[in-house]
Amino acid sequence: MVSREAIPTSARGEPWFDDGNIILLAEDTVSDATVAFRVHRGVLARHSEVFQSMFELSTPISGDVDVAEGCPVVHMHDRPTELSALIRALYDGASFEHRGIQDFYHVAGILRLATKYFIAHLRREAIRHLLQIWPHTLAGHDHFIERAVKAPLIGDLTYPYVHPLHVVNLARETHVRIVLPSALYFLSLYPLPDILNGDHPKLCVEHPSRPGSELAARELQDYTLMFQHRIDVILDFIRQMCGNRTPTKGCQGQPGLCQKAFTRLSSRLSRSWVVRTGPLHYTVQAIDELADDPNVCAPCRRAFRDDVFKLREKLWAELPGIIGLPSWDELEKADLS
């Protein structure tokens, strides 16, 4: 039985409402400190049937319920930082930012508990925020690349400040599939030995809400599939769409001139790509490189650009299937409906 005396101020977490009618206790496993949150049972129960059921079992009528500050006490098996973030989001509304890696951990904690306690609206908000960085659309991917080029270092970490392995592991933990294709696509840009070593600076930032940094067997399989697919796409693009390309029907260049230009483009691309090259961006760079060649006529240049755009749309649409997931539309319906 917890004492009915007042809980020390040092043990009170945020939020703590003096007129609250139930106290949640969460233990910090790192410091062994117990943090108490005095809240209103009706507010939390309104958002979660799980909370409602828990609170119904915690009434001071029965003699086996702990009481403190005149309120029943519920022992929570959650990290205090995550429980605090969840409660504040339920009272004040969720506020998600992307100013650095700490903001990702904040989202991770809320997503983790919103999933655990079946708080659907808060879970959807957290997923939508993740999709602003780890996109489910091709336009989102292009915006990601643009920000990665322009964004400043924060704490010596490059944009998006979070290692994709942490995103993948969080998604698996919380059963969010819609972020997996893009997160695994970007994860496949990292050499496997570096991932297995687990010593990348983005993997080593300490935080209670940090997802696991290990590459599980399932993720190793998906990583391999995505890695191989990415390499196959690059080589096929260089050899087929560029190297074996013939002039368009409306070609206005001198005989053979445009075809030689595509052959030169294929040769340059074959020498410039590396293992960490992302084909979705690389194909756009090829358009820009061809535009600098004065020997290519305007119709051939436009036809190449249109074919590259169609290829990118096709590649993006096929991305979930590479790792055995359903279409983007089905993933969106499952995770955001």
Side-chain angles (χ1 to χ4, degrees), residues 82 85-90 92-100 102-114 119-133 170:
E82 295 185 351
L86 179 76
I87 296 171
R88 284 183 282 118
L90 292 178
D92 304 327
S95 177
F96 299 129
E97 303 286 348
H98 189 61
R99 300 161 299 186
Q102 299 297 328
D103 287 331
F104 169 74
Y105 293 145
H106 174 72
V107 177
I110 289 182
L111 176 59
R112 190 175 282 123
L113 293 194
I119 307 173
H121 71 92
L122 203 52
R123 173 180 159 89
R124 286 193 297 269
E125 286 186 57
I127 294 173
R128 288 193 182 98
H129 176 75
L130 287 177
L131 289 174
Q132 293 178 16
I133 299 97
L170 174 66

Side-chain angles (χ1 to χ4, degrees), residues 76-273:
M76 309 293 290
H77 301 283
D78 303 309
R79 301 178 182 93
T81 54
E82 295 185 351
L83 186 58
S84 172
L86 179 76
I87 296 171
R88 284 183 282 118
L90 292 178
Y91 273 90
D92 304 327
S95 177
F96 299 129
E97 303 286 348
H98 189 61
R99 300 161 299 186
I101 195 169
Q102 299 297 328
D103 287 331
F104 169 74
Y105 293 145
H106 174 72
V107 177
I110 289 182
L111 176 59
R112 190 175 282 123
L113 293 194
T115 300
K116 176 180 179 179
Y117 293 113
F118 291 89
I119 307 173
H121 71 92
L122 203 52
R123 173 180 159 89
R124 286 193 297 269
E125 286 186 57
I127 294 173
R128 288 193 182 98
H129 176 75
L130 287 177
L131 289 174
Q132 293 178 16
I133 299 97
W134 306 94
H136 66 310
T137 66
L138 183 56
H141 164 275
D142 294 344
H143 191 39
F144 178 104
I145 298 298
E146 181 181 349
R147 284 178 295 188
V149 171
K150 297 179 180 179
L153 289 175
I154 295 182
D156 293 329
L157 300 180
T158 58
Y159 186 90
Y161 315 120
V162 180
H163 199 287
L165 180 58
H166 280 165
V167 180
V168 170
N169 286 340
L170 174 66
R172 292 294 191 196
E173 178 188 351
T174 56
H175 313 291
V176 178
R177 298 188 299 169
I178 195 169
V179 300
L180 284 172
S182 62
L184 280 161
Y185 173 82
F186 287 110
L187 180 63
S188 77
L189 302 178
Y190 289 78
L192 183 58
D194 291 353
I195 298 174
L196 296 178
N197 286 339
D199 55 1
H200 192 283
K202 293 180 181 179
L203 294 175
C204 298
V205 178
E206 293 293 337
H207 193 279
S209 297
R210 189 185 73 186
S213 299
E214 298 77 26
L215 187 68
R218 181 177 181 180
E219 275 57 65
L220 175 59
Q221 173 181 301
D222 289 345
Y223 167 91
T224 304
L225 291 170
M226 192 66 77
F227 183 95
Q228 188 60 56
H229 172 70
R230 187 170 52 79
I231 301 302
D232 289 345
V233 167
I234 293 172
L235 295 178
D236 187 68
F237 173 73
I238 294 172
R239 295 167 181 170
Q240 300 301 322
M241 183 165 283
C242 298
N244 295 338
R245 190 175 186 82
T246 58
T248 186
K249 290 182 180 180
C251 178
Q252 297 174 353
Q254 296 180 12
L257 208 58
C258 287
Q259 188 159 3
K260 289 180 181 179
F262 284 116
T263 301
R264 288 194 300 272
L265 176 64
S266 174
S267 178
R268 290 195 300 271
L269 293 177
S270 67
R271 296 192 302 271
S272 65
W273 78 278

Side-chain angles (χ1 to χ4, degrees), residues 253-296:
Q254 296 180 12
L257 208 58
C258 287
Q259 188 159 3
K260 289 180 181 179
F262 284 116
T263 301
R264 288 194 300 272
L265 176 64
S266 174
S267 178
R268 290 195 300 271
L269 293 177
S270 67
R271 296 192 302 271
S272 65
W273 78 278
V274 295
V275 174
R276 293 197 63 178
T277 296
L280 290 165
H281 183 56
Y282 192 60
T283 51
V284 174
Q285 291 176 310
I287 296 176
D288 296 335
E289 188 162 342
L290 187 69
D292 294 333
D293 193 329
N295 296 313
V296 183

